[in-house]
Amino acid sequence: MFSLDSISVAFGGFTLLDAVSFHISPGDKIGLVGKNGAGKSTLMKIICGLQKPTSGQVDKPSGATIGYLPQIMEHHRGRTVLEETMTAFDELLAVEREMDEVSRQLADRTDYESDDYNSLIEHLNELSDRLSVSHDEPLEVQAIRTLEGLGFRRNELDRKTETFSQGWNMRIELAKILLGRPDLLLLDEPTNHLDIESIEWLEDYLKNSRSAILLVSHDRKFLDNVTSRTIEIMLGRIYDYKVPYTQYLELRQERMAQQLAAYRNQQRMIEKTEDFIERFRYKPTKSNQVQSRVKALERLERIEVDEEDNSTLHVRFPKAPRCGDVAFKAIGLSAAYPGKTVFTDADIEIKRGEKVALVGRNGEGKTTLMRIIMRELAPAAGSAQIGHNVHIGYYAQNQEDILDGKETVFGTLDRIAVGDVRTRLRDILAAFLFKGEDIDKRVSVLSGGERARLGMAKLMLQDYNLLALDEPTNHMDIRSKDVLKQALLAYDGALVVVSHDRDFLDGLVDKVYEFRDGRVREHLGGVSDFLRRRRLESLRDLDRPAEPAASSGPAARAGSAAGSGPAARAGSAAGSASSGSRSGSAAGSCPGPRAGGAAGPKASFAEMKSRSKEEKKKRERVERLEAEIEKLEGEMKAIEAVLSNPGEGDDIMELTRSYLELKYKLDVKTEEWGALI
């Protein structure tokens, strides 16, 4: 049994946890709930020993193990997915090696009756017992099954961990923790980066796990399916309910109503008693009754109503400046990374003031389109144009990477604020629930929800007319989601948002772009209309695996990589020029200057000589461009060769960045070449 005894945590004059006590018994499945910043993550860190309380202590059984999945973590690099996951068995593999060594010693000895020999046999038996618990099947089989349950495909297990996003690396860490089979699992929002199949697999795993579980999640269905007990943190205190989340909400409402009714009845009784005492205090015939009632009031145990945390966001985005009719437009857009085409031939248009949702399975290209809109990634083909006078505010999923952990909350905004907005920073932070000493906290100590709020506060420092929000509600509690939704409804600029949260999107957006099977499809109307046409219950159902596309084989990938020479690229380069149209004559479609056509019969010798010089300069420029293009292609092919078979010392992320930079240069050169020929 794990026991928390009078745990208190205070920062300066603020008390986060106030004498919190509860027990975690073997097999308990507990949901830990409360508002963002209430202390849920802090309590988990205290239990696993990463943070010390101001007072109180945590008692745990001798030899008990704890597996902790935080919201934010460091990811390991340099190993494949399977190799990194197998590190969960390091201790067991060490036991195996020790068993081999003990067995070797026994084989070499002949003193069968000695105490040392018997001690070795006993030690071998102990090691064997430790292994028998985990050796119901081979360790690698356990690792592969767990990784596949969390969404990895078999052919991805040999890829380096650094080639995966933060969300996929979180799945690797989760797999390692589950494979360790700890006595207590502490999971802080484990579903944030999981698709529906992985969530359902994790639900089944946790329900059948022998480990005790303390779980933080804003997913009501997940809590109901996994937990049988709910502990609420509210204003530093805890309230323990022996029921799942939905039943806890009902019991909590009943408890608050009963407590309030009892409090009001007692206050009426106290008021009548005090009125009697005041009226007959100086009347001798009533002195005994007065004294009796005075003593009764002194002995009375006063009912207190639990203070409820009603603080909430008060967000209003600045008025959007006027811009052109179209905020963003893509024609024939394709996106790709080395060795992988994400989507192709997409036509996307976001008009001024329009609110658009991007939906689809993880990995289909939603975040990739966001990066193209932000010009962090160049299109593989087609055009992507920002409208006239459009200023974009971007909220990325990985706020922990974007925000400086060493900076304070106030300093994060103060560093980028300019002009009159500097005088309103405290008001902006207060609107996002950063008040008093909160503004002096380091970003590194903030919870995931607090970082999400701080990232959103940064968007209010400038007057944007296009907001690009990538999973903005991932770490937000239900109340904060509702307030943010109302603020976005009142926002008069354009909005493009990536989210799996149907309740958040419903009524907010008026157009949906679905990313599926390498294509992008436009659906007019809201999310409910889209789901009804697709006959889906929720956006999570989009994450259910579809039939593999016929174009995913090696031949198709080879075809997508074909046409690497300048001539092959000329057409697409011309098509990606900023003409805004895919029809009509392209800049690079002309076969070259017509002989004699440019200089008519009345042209003078000087004019012809001048044109001859221009043609010579053009030919020389074309030749230089072709040489530069050939060099760039050679460098890209060299990187592709490394990426296809990376070595231990190869930095995949750095190579990928170099590849994309070369590709951008190549596109610019090819576009100029196509315009000249």
Side-chain angles (χ1 to χ4, degrees), residues 524-558:
L524 299 178
V527 169
S528 295
D529 298 326
F530 163 70
L531 292 173
R532 186 167 55 251
R533 286 193 294 268
R534 286 290 313 277
R535 298 180 181 178
L536 299 173
E537 289 295 324
S538 73
L539 293 174
R540 287 286 185 187
D541 291 340
L542 292 171
D543 292 324
R544 297 186 183 278
E547 291 297 321
S551 61
S552 62
R557 288 195 297 272

Coordinates of all heavy atoms in Angstrom, one line a residue, residues 524-558:
L524 N -18.1 21.1 -47.2 CA -18.8 22.4 -46.8 C -19.7 22.1 -45.6 O -20.4 21.0 -45.6 CB -19.5 23.0 -47.9 CG -18.7 23.4 -49.1 CD1 -19.5 24.0 -50.2 CD2 -17.6 24.4 -48.7
G525 N -19.8 23.0 -44.7 CA -20.7 22.7 -43.5 C -19.8 22.4 -42.3 O -18.6 22.4 -42.3
G526 N -20.5 22.3 -41.1 CA -19.8 22.1 -39.9 C -19.4 20.6 -39.7 O -19.6 19.8 -40.5
V527 N -18.9 20.4 -38.5 CA -18.4 19.0 -38.1 C -19.5 18.0 -38.1 O -19.3 16.9 -38.5 CB -17.6 19.1 -36.8 CG1 -17.3 17.7 -36.3 CG2 -16.3 19.9 -37.0
S528 N -20.6 18.4 -37.5 CA -21.8 17.5 -37.4 C -22.2 17.1 -38.8 O -22.5 15.9 -39.1 CB -22.9 18.1 -36.7 OG -22.6 18.3 -35.3
D529 N -22.3 18.0 -39.8 CA -22.7 17.7 -41.1 C -21.6 16.7 -41.8 O -22.0 15.8 -42.4 CB -22.7 19.0 -42.0 CG -23.8 19.9 -41.5 OD1 -24.8 19.5 -41.0 OD2 -23.5 21.1 -41.6
F530 N -20.4 17.0 -41.5 CA -19.3 16.1 -42.0 C -19.4 14.7 -41.5 O -19.4 13.7 -42.2 CB -17.9 16.7 -41.7 CG -16.8 15.8 -41.8 CD1 -16.4 15.3 -43.1 CD2 -16.1 15.3 -40.7 CE1 -15.3 14.4 -43.2 CE2 -15.1 14.4 -40.8 CZ -14.7 14.0 -42.0
L531 N -19.6 14.6 -40.2 CA -19.7 13.2 -39.6 C -21.0 12.5 -40.0 O -21.0 11.3 -40.2 CB -19.7 13.4 -38.0 CG -18.4 13.9 -37.4 CD1 -18.6 14.1 -35.9 CD2 -17.3 12.9 -37.6
R532 N -22.0 13.3 -40.2 CA -23.3 12.6 -40.7 C -23.1 12.1 -42.1 O -23.5 11.0 -42.4 CB -24.4 13.6 -40.7 CG -25.8 13.0 -41.0 CD -26.9 14.0 -40.6 NE -26.8 15.3 -41.2 CZ -26.5 16.4 -40.6 NH1 -26.2 16.3 -39.3 NH2 -26.3 17.6 -41.2
R533 N -22.4 12.9 -43.0 CA -22.2 12.4 -44.3 C -21.2 11.2 -44.4 O -21.4 10.3 -45.2 CB -21.6 13.5 -45.2 CG -22.6 14.6 -45.6 CD -22.1 15.5 -46.7 NE -21.0 16.3 -46.3 CZ -21.1 17.5 -45.8 NH1 -22.3 18.0 -45.7 NH2 -20.0 18.2 -45.4
R534 N -20.3 11.2 -43.4 CA -19.3 10.1 -43.4 C -19.8 8.9 -42.5 O -19.2 7.9 -42.4 CB -18.0 10.6 -42.8 CG -17.1 11.4 -43.7 CD -16.5 10.6 -44.8 NE -15.9 9.3 -44.4 CZ -14.7 9.2 -43.9 NH1 -13.9 10.3 -43.8 NH2 -14.3 8.0 -43.5
R535 N -21.0 9.1 -41.9 CA -21.6 8.1 -41.0 C -20.6 7.7 -39.9 O -20.4 6.5 -39.6 CB -22.0 6.9 -41.8 CG -23.1 7.2 -42.9 CD -23.5 6.0 -43.7 NE -24.5 6.3 -44.7 CZ -25.0 5.4 -45.5 NH1 -24.6 4.2 -45.5 NH2 -25.9 5.8 -46.4
L536 N -20.1 8.7 -39.2 CA -19.1 8.4 -38.1 C -19.8 9.0 -36.8 O -20.5 9.9 -36.8 CB -17.8 9.1 -38.4 CG -17.0 8.7 -39.6 CD1 -15.8 9.7 -39.8 CD2 -16.6 7.3 -39.5
E537 N -19.4 8.3 -35.7 CA -19.9 8.8 -34.4 C -19.1 9.9 -33.9 O -19.7 10.8 -33.3 CB -19.9 7.6 -33.4 CG -20.9 6.5 -33.7 CD -22.3 7.0 -33.5 OE1 -22.5 7.8 -32.6 OE2 -23.2 6.6 -34.3
S538 N -17.8 9.9 -34.1 CA -16.9 11.0 -33.6 C -15.7 11.1 -34.5 O -15.4 10.3 -35.3 CB -16.5 10.7 -32.2 OG -15.5 9.7 -32.1
L539 N -15.0 12.2 -34.3 CA -13.7 12.5 -35.0 C -12.7 11.4 -34.7 O -11.8 11.2 -35.5 CB -13.2 13.9 -34.7 CG -14.1 15.0 -35.3 CD1 -13.5 16.3 -34.8 CD2 -14.1 15.0 -36.8
R540 N -12.8 10.8 -33.5 CA -11.8 9.8 -33.1 C -11.9 8.6 -34.1 O -11.0 7.9 -34.3 CB -12.1 9.3 -31.7 CG -11.6 10.3 -30.6 CD -10.1 10.4 -30.5 NE -9.7 11.2 -29.4 CZ -8.4 11.5 -29.2 NH1 -7.5 11.1 -30.0 NH2 -8.1 12.3 -28.2
D541 N -13.1 8.4 -34.6 CA -13.3 7.3 -35.6 C -12.5 7.4 -36.8 O -12.3 6.4 -37.5 CB -14.8 7.1 -35.9 CG -15.7 6.6 -34.7 OD1 -15.0 6.1 -33.8 OD2 -16.9 6.8 -34.7
L542 N -12.1 8.6 -37.1 CA -11.3 8.8 -38.3 C -9.9 8.2 -38.1 O -9.2 7.8 -39.1 CB -11.0 10.3 -38.5 CG -12.2 11.2 -39.0 CD1 -11.9 12.6 -38.9 CD2 -12.7 10.8 -40.4
D543 N -9.5 7.9 -36.9 CA -8.2 7.3 -36.6 C -8.2 5.8 -36.8 O -7.2 5.1 -36.7 CB -7.8 7.6 -35.2 CG -7.5 9.1 -35.0 OD1 -6.9 9.7 -36.0 OD2 -7.8 9.6 -34.0
R544 N -9.4 5.2 -37.1 CA -9.4 3.8 -37.3 C -8.7 3.5 -38.6 O -8.9 4.2 -39.6 CB -10.9 3.2 -37.3 CG -11.6 3.4 -36.0 CD -12.9 2.8 -36.0 NE -13.6 3.0 -34.8 CZ -13.4 2.4 -33.6 NH1 -12.5 1.4 -33.6 NH2 -14.1 2.7 -32.5
P545 N -7.9 2.4 -38.6 CA -7.1 2.2 -39.8 C -7.9 1.9 -41.1 O -8.9 1.1 -41.0 CB -6.2 1.0 -39.4 CG -6.9 0.3 -38.3 CD -7.7 1.4 -37.6
A546 N -7.5 2.5 -42.2 CA -8.2 2.2 -43.5 C -7.4 1.2 -44.2 O -6.3 0.8 -43.8 CB -8.3 3.5 -44.3
E547 N -8.0 0.7 -45.3 CA -7.3 -0.3 -46.1 C -6.0 0.4 -46.7 O -6.1 1.5 -47.1 CB -8.2 -0.8 -47.3 CG -9.3 -1.6 -46.8 CD -8.9 -2.9 -46.2 OE1 -7.9 -3.5 -46.7 OE2 -9.5 -3.4 -45.2
P548 N -4.9 -0.3 -46.7 CA -3.7 0.3 -47.3 C -3.8 0.7 -48.7 O -4.4 0.0 -49.5 CB -2.6 -0.8 -47.1 CG -3.3 -2.0 -46.9 CD -4.7 -1.7 -46.3
A549 N -3.4 1.9 -49.0 CA -3.5 2.4 -50.4 C -2.6 1.6 -51.3 O -1.5 1.2 -51.0 CB -3.2 3.9 -50.4
A550 N -3.1 1.5 -52.6 CA -2.3 0.7 -53.5 C -1.0 1.4 -53.9 O -0.1 0.8 -54.4 CB -3.1 0.5 -54.8
S551 N -0.9 2.7 -53.6 CA 0.3 3.4 -54.0 C 1.4 3.4 -53.0 O 2.3 4.2 -53.0 CB -0.1 4.9 -54.3 OG -0.6 5.5 -53.2
S552 N 1.3 2.6 -51.9 CA 2.2 2.6 -50.8 C 3.4 1.7 -51.0 O 4.3 1.7 -50.2 CB 1.5 2.3 -49.5 OG 1.0 0.9 -49.6
G553 N 3.5 1.0 -52.1 CA 4.6 0.1 -52.3 C 5.8 0.7 -52.9 O 5.8 1.9 -53.2
P554 N 6.9 0.0 -53.0 CA 8.1 0.5 -53.4 C 8.1 1.1 -54.8 O 8.7 2.1 -55.1 CB 9.1 -0.7 -53.4 CG 8.5 -1.7 -52.4 CD 7.0 -1.5 -52.6
A555 N 7.3 0.5 -55.7 CA 7.2 1.0 -57.1 C 6.6 2.4 -57.1 O 7.0 3.3 -57.8 CB 6.3 0.0 -57.9
A556 N 5.5 2.6 -56.2 CA 4.9 3.9 -56.2 C 5.9 4.9 -55.6 O 5.9 6.1 -56.1 CB 3.6 3.8 -55.3
R557 N 6.6 4.6 -54.6 CA 7.6 5.5 -54.0 C 8.7 5.9 -55.0 O 9.1 7.0 -55.1 CB 8.2 4.9 -52.7 CG 7.2 4.9 -51.6 CD 8.0 4.7 -50.3 NE 8.7 3.4 -50.2 CZ 8.1 2.3 -49.8 NH1 6.9 2.3 -49.4 NH2 8.8 1.2 -49.8
A558 N 9.1 4.9 -55.8 CA 10.1 5.1 -56.8 C 9.5 6.1 -57.9 O 10.2 7.0 -58.3 CB 10.5 3.8 -57.5

